Amino acid sequence: MAKAVADTTEDNQGGYASNGSPVSGFSHMHDSGTGGALSLGNFPIFVHPGCKNDTIDGCVFPKTQRAVGVVDGSVSARPGYFTIGLESGITAEMTVTNHTALYRFAFSSNDAVDTTEAPSSPLLFVDLTDLPNTRKNGSASVDPETGRIVTTGTFNPSFGHGTYTLHSCLDLKGASIRDTGVFINTRAGSEPKNITVQEDNNNPPIPAGAYVWFDKVSEGDQVLARVGLSFISAEKACKNAEAEIADFGFDDTLTQAEKAWKEKFSVIEIDTATTDDSDGPLDMDDLQTIFWSGVYRAMISPQDYTGENPLWESDEPYYDSYYCMWDSFRSVHPFITLVDPHSQTLMIRSLIDIYRHEGFLPDCRMSLCKGFTQGGSNADIVLVDSFLKNITQDVDWETGYEAVVKDAEVEPQVWDLEGRGGLYSWKKLGYIPADDFDPYGNGLFTRSVSRTVEYAYDDFCIAEMAERLGHDDDYEKYVERSGNWINLYKEDQTSFLDGVDTNFTGFLQPRYLNGTFGFQDPNFCSPLNNFDSCYLNPNGHETYEGSSWLYTFFAPHDMAALITTLGGTDTFVSRLDFLHESGLLYVGDEQGFLPVFQYHYAGRPAKSAERAHYYIPSQFNTTLAGIPGNDDSGAMGSFLALTMLGIFPNPGQDVYFITPPFFPSVSITNPAKGKTATIKNVNFDAAYKNIYIQSAKLNGDSYTKNYLTHEFFLNGGTLELTLGPKESTAWGTGDEDVPPSLSTKKAFN
């Protein structure tokens, strides 16, 4: 739950950004890698090395005025640890336990600081604010004897409705106390020792909080600040801190944090030894850096808030920061299922328990609040993917099935926050009309094209679950509905780029209640045409964060039918090439993940490998711009990790596309069963000329399929891939070698 970092003033959705902007504080909770609105960052600490003229009002309190520059080269980060040097002469280090952040502040001389005007008598304060400035009310108190600062505040979530209340408890060690008090706006005083603020006309909310002023410190002296957190009460925040970091031992706490991360990483092993001394676009050290960075980012969210849910009583785990499943269903949850099935099991149990108490599965959730739905009911896919991959321990799958069926059958009053909208038309017409009449609920009447194809895939996933559970009638119903993607396909729709015909015909188009088609330029909402026009707002259009060019490829469950619809294998491959090579696709949006690997369905897995090696490293690398867009709560990190392992999934199905790993060999050990699955590259070369699979052996036997199932990772084994510099016309190319499609292999078993 605790994720401590410095908060910069720009691009600070996750707190810190490597953009040279100054630091306005150090806060304890963050949602990592989100786009759009800022999130969390509650109750930041700020430290002045001294106050001008040695008076309390010589210190600056508002965060719009107090930010301090960063010392060049001072920032260092690794799992469990972050440090930064400020131009004020303060060096800050931080580490965490589950509910507690621990900071170590060291003081040094700085030529830029006039110690005659601001003697080295540090002042530390806690601000009743958050990163997005949403505070509704707040209170702070300080104990004049111990310096303990206790805070409570109510805030808005960053991408949803409602409010949440958070509590913190700060204790200090390392310097004697000179004075304590509170501040509001730009002024502070030693009396009173507590302050309460309510919502008023100030926007942003007026600065307020509590401070501790220390006696003079010497160069090299350190002050430790321990911050306990709780959504339950301030008392529990204090108890969390006392239980988790009783003695303020920074080094011991850091050791335990690093140990926890190493245990998470230990299930993955990569062999980087190679006799080939050639160099590729990135050297092996850089490749390891981006790989392990991706693994780390993929395991940050969702966050374990078990025991910290004030909304209902339950013995089930509670996870938060599903932010959002439209992003995470594609790669985050399949990755966690592979490397940490226990945590994925707890997340599934939590989702089902949210359904029990809230009435619907969430599509997005953060800070105990309902988040916004971006497209389909994507928790359906997350549940089914786990169901198919042996996530079973203490999971109530009958209730899970009840939950996904409710998404398909019952329209919520506000389908912006859960479930699906337009279900009457969906069931009657087989698509979401652009001019839908929906008196049964309300939400944004946009995204009719993208919602249609996403609802179709949601229903397919429900059909898979229905079949396994023996609900035959439901299986037939949802299989039929899963074919609705075709109902928005306009076979004579052309596409032009800069006035030039692309020579591809047939695209998804908006359709009206009367059955006629409307028009949205197939390249609209692509990087080539009004890229920022299809977001989640009332002025959005008929596709979401992507073009019709992109969404026309979205039939993950029946690629065989899609290939036929688009003109056959050769035309499909040419069209997919054009999508990648024209600039229409941006891999920084998650819908761009699957098209990297859809060549597998056309019997051209070599081209999937080519695309993977284009995007890594052109879009994923060790530069500051080495993550396309934002990480979307680990979506980019998990895409990177799975692609470099050579096993990207088709989420919601028991399918992993085989491409050569980016290392000589990779292994994943199933933590539950202790079985190890290893993929070895024969003829690996570090220049990555040999990226094409010529043949494969699975446990010593010839293997021609271009995909794996989860059984390989449950039972362990060895997949040996023989590589070469040219595309093979034999391996993975036959009709029986491609992943299953609904129209050709209905059972998917």
Side-chain angles (χ1 to χ4, degrees):
M1 193 167 102
K3 292 174 171 56
V5 78
D7 295 327
T8 55
T9 58
E10 298 175 13
D11 295 329
N12 54 352
Q13 286 89 344
Y16 178 76
S18 299
N19 55 15
S21 60
V23 169
S24 64
F26 302 91
S27 63
H28 336 294
M29 294 180 63
H30 296 89
D31 282 316
S32 178
T34 64
L38 311 182
S39 184
L40 295 170
N42 318 79
F43 310 131
I45 298 170
F46 192 82
V47 183
H48 286 292
C51 297
K52 187 175 182 180
N53 299 323
D54 204 27
T55 64
I56 190 66
D57 287 329
C59 275
V60 178
F61 291 93
K63 66 180 178 182
T64 55
Q65 303 170 29
R66 70 188 183 221
V68 178
V70 178
V71 175
D72 289 344
S74 68
V75 177
S76 179
R78 61 182 186 268
Y81 178 77
F82 182 88
T83 185
I84 190 170
L86 302 182
E87 291 177 349
S88 60
I90 292 172
T91 298
E93 300 172 277
M94 54 216 74
T95 187
V96 297
T97 58
N98 197 7
H99 308 91
T100 308
L102 185 62
Y103 301 86
R104 184 163 64 186
F105 298 104
F107 303 89
S108 61
S109 61
N110 189 320
D111 293 340
V113 179
D114 186 346
T115 56
T116 60
E117 287 195 3
S120 298
S121 180
L123 182 133
L124 178 150
F125 62 88
V126 178
D127 194 347
L128 292 171
T129 187
D130 62 344
L131 279 170
N133 296 314
T134 69
R135 187 195 71 217
K136 297 299 182 184
N137 58 69
S139 64
S141 64
V142 58
D143 186 312
E145 301 299 323
T146 66
R148 169 174 279 187
I149 297 176
V150 175
T151 59
T152 293
T154 299
F155 306 91
N156 293 341
S158 62
F159 192 67
H161 281 183
T163 61
Y164 67 95
T165 298
L166 183 66
H167 314 270
S168 79
C169 178
L170 177 144
D171 292 301
L172 298 161
K173 182 179 180 181
S176 58
I177 296 174
R178 173 180 175 180
D179 193 14
T180 60
V182 299
F183 71 90
I184 187 166
N185 200 12
T186 61
R187 296 291 181 177
S190 58
E191 291 294 340
K193 302 299 184 186
N194 55 72
I195 189 168
T196 296
V197 286
Q198 297 286 344
E199 190 172 15
D200 58 22
N201 286 329
N202 286 289
N203 186 20
I206 193 168
Y211 70 84
V212 175
W213 201 0
F214 297 104
D215 288 321
K216 185 175 177 63
V217 298
S218 301
E219 183 163 347
D221 284 353
Q222 297 176 340
V223 171
L224 290 154
R226 181 187 68 188
V227 184
L229 302 159
S230 177
F231 287 102
I232 304 298
S233 67
E235 180 184 16
K236 192 166 190 297
C238 294
K239 287 181 177 179
N240 285 341
E242 291 162 353
E244 294 177 2
I245 311 178
D247 60 358
F248 286 79
F250 188 92
D251 292 337
D252 289 344
T253 303
L254 173 58
T255 296
Q256 291 304 309
E258 291 179 329
K259 180 181 177 183
W261 275 109
K262 287 176 182 177
E263 288 176 353
K264 292 290 186 183
F265 294 160
S266 66
V267 301
I268 303 173
E269 183 177 347
I270 58 174
D271 175 16
T272 61
T274 174
T275 57
D276 179 22
D277 60 0
S278 57
D279 292 324
L282 287 181
D283 65 30
M284 193 59 70
D285 287 342
D286 284 346
L287 286 169
Q288 289 185 77
T289 296
I290 63 172
F291 173 76
W292 289 112
S293 174
V295 171
Y296 167 71
R297 301 195 313 272
M299 301 178 81
I300 292 177
S301 291
Q303 302 184 34
D304 185 359
Y305 287 10
T306 302
E308 290 293 336
N309 178 7
L311 301 179
W312 58 78
E313 294 283 339
S314 177
D315 293 329
E316 286 294 276
Y318 179 74
Y319 277 70
D320 205 284
S321 292
Y322 296 95
Y323 195 160
C324 293
M325 277 180 274
W326 186 86
D327 304 294
S328 64
F329 87 81
R330 305 169 201 265
S331 54
V332 173
H333 287 284
F335 179 77
I336 296 172
T337 296
L338 272 176
V339 303
D340 191 2
H342 175 67
S343 290
Q344 181 66 13
T345 301
L346 299 179
M347 293 172 195
I348 294 298
R349 289 171 57 190
S350 174
L351 287 172
I352 294 171
D353 204 46
I354 292 169
Y355 161 75
R356 290 190 188 100
H357 292 92
E358 298 274 28
F360 283 90
L361 291 166
D363 188 62
C364 195
R365 190 174 182 89
M366 75 292 295
S367 310
L368 307 170
C369 296
K370 295 179 179 180
F372 295 125
T373 297
Q374 294 168 274
S377 47
N378 296 297
D380 302 346
I381 305 173
V382 173
L383 261 66
V384 171
D385 191 78
S386 295
F387 177 78
L388 296 174
K389 294 174 180 175
N390 201 45
I391 298 296
T392 58
Q393 186 175 359
D394 298 322
V395 178
D396 180 359
W397 277 119
E398 286 298 333
T399 301
Y401 181 70
E402 176 187 302
V404 299
V405 167
K406 187 172 183 180
D407 279 342
E409 299 296 337
V410 179
E411 182 168 322
Q413 179 60 55
V414 182
W415 40 266
D416 270 351
L417 299 174
E418 56 202 355
R420 310 185 203 172
L423 283 181
Y424 179 81
S425 293
W426 176 249
K427 297 172 189 179
K428 181 180 179 182
L429 301 176
Y431 59 92
I432 301 298
D435 60 344
D436 198 17
F437 174 64
D438 182 7
Y440 307 103
N442 55 278
L444 290 176
F445 283 85
T446 58
R447 302 155 292 137
S448 65
V449 171
S450 50
R451 284 166 57 207
T452 291
V453 295
E454 291 188 23
Y455 290 4
Y457 190 55
D458 295 337
D459 282 344
F460 169 76
C461 291
I462 297 172
E464 293 179 284
M465 196 172 183
E467 183 181 37
R468 298 287 184 97
L469 292 175
H471 301 296
D472 295 341
D473 290 343
D474 282 356
Y475 170 75
E476 294 297 335
K477 174 171 63 175
Y478 294 121
V479 160
E480 182 178 359
R481 287 188 193 170
S482 77
N484 286 349
W485 61 271
I486 195 68
N487 293 334
L488 294 189
Y489 181 73
K490 190 169 186 288
E491 63 181 1
D492 61 350
Q493 179 61 55
T494 56
S495 173
F496 290 76
L497 290 182
D498 295 326
V500 178
D501 194 340
T502 64
N503 294 317
F504 294 104
T505 303
F507 293 90
L508 298 180
Q509 286 291 289
R511 197 171 181 182
Y512 299 121
L513 280 164
N514 64 8
T516 61
F517 281 99
F519 175 73
Q520 179 174 303
D521 192 321
N523 66 54
F524 188 75
C525 294
S526 76
L528 303 180
N529 184 356
N530 286 276
F531 191 32
D532 297 331
S533 297
C534 292
Y535 289 143
L536 200 63
N537 57 61
N539 297 319
H541 297 275
E542 302 313 317
T543 54
Y544 180 66
E545 291 192 4
S547 65
S548 174
W549 253 98
L550 181 58
Y551 278 102
T552 297
F553 283 97
F554 192 77
H557 53 302
D558 206 349
M559 289 301 301
L562 178 64
I563 289 170
T564 299
T565 299
L566 296 183
T569 300
D570 291 344
T571 302
F572 174 82
V573 170
S574 295
R575 183 188 280 227
L576 196 52
D577 284 344
F578 191 87
L579 176 72
H580 286 284
E581 295 168 5
S582 62
L584 285 163
L585 183 142
Y586 176 53
V587 79
D589 279 332
E590 286 73 18
Q591 321 93 297
F593 293 174
L594 192 59
V596 174
F597 302 96
Q598 284 178 306
Y599 294 101
H600 274 63
Y601 288 96
R604 300 288 300 277
K607 293 190 73 68
S608 297
E610 287 178 1
R611 299 301 173 201
H613 278 275
Y614 168 73
Y615 291 114
I616 306 170
S618 70
Q619 300 294 305
F620 296 87
N621 50 61
T622 56
T623 68
L624 289 181
I627 301 173
N630 61 77
D631 200 48
D632 273 333
S633 294
M636 297 297 140
S638 52
F639 168 82
L640 175 69
L642 288 162
T643 300
M644 294 185 76
L645 289 168
I647 48 170
F648 195 82
N650 191 342
Q653 300 174 39
D654 190 6
V655 168
Y656 297 87
F657 306 111
I658 300 172
T659 52
F662 279 57
F663 306 102
S665 74
V666 298
S667 297
I668 299 174
T669 299
N670 185 290
K673 293 196 169 188
K675 303 288 188 180
T676 299
T678 299
I679 304 176
K680 294 182 178 180
N681 284 325
V682 178
N683 300 332
F684 176 86
D685 73 304
Y688 295 101
K689 293 187 171 110
N690 294 341
I691 63 169
Y692 305 106
I693 300 172
Q694 307 298 303
S695 63
K697 290 183 179 179
L698 180 60
N699 298 326
D701 296 327
S702 176
Y703 189 78
T704 61
K705 295 183 186 300
N706 63 30
Y707 67 98
L708 292 165
T709 67
H710 197 64
E711 181 183 13
F712 176 64
F713 302 101
L714 289 177
N715 298 333
T718 299
L719 178 67
E720 189 175 88
L721 306 175
T722 299
L723 308 183
K726 295 182 179 180
E727 179 177 3
S728 169
T729 58
W731 183 83
T733 61
D735 290 343
E736 296 303 313
D737 298 330
V738 303
S741 288
L742 180 62
S743 58
T744 56
K745 299 179 180 179
K746 274 206 165 188
F748 265 74
N749 287 334

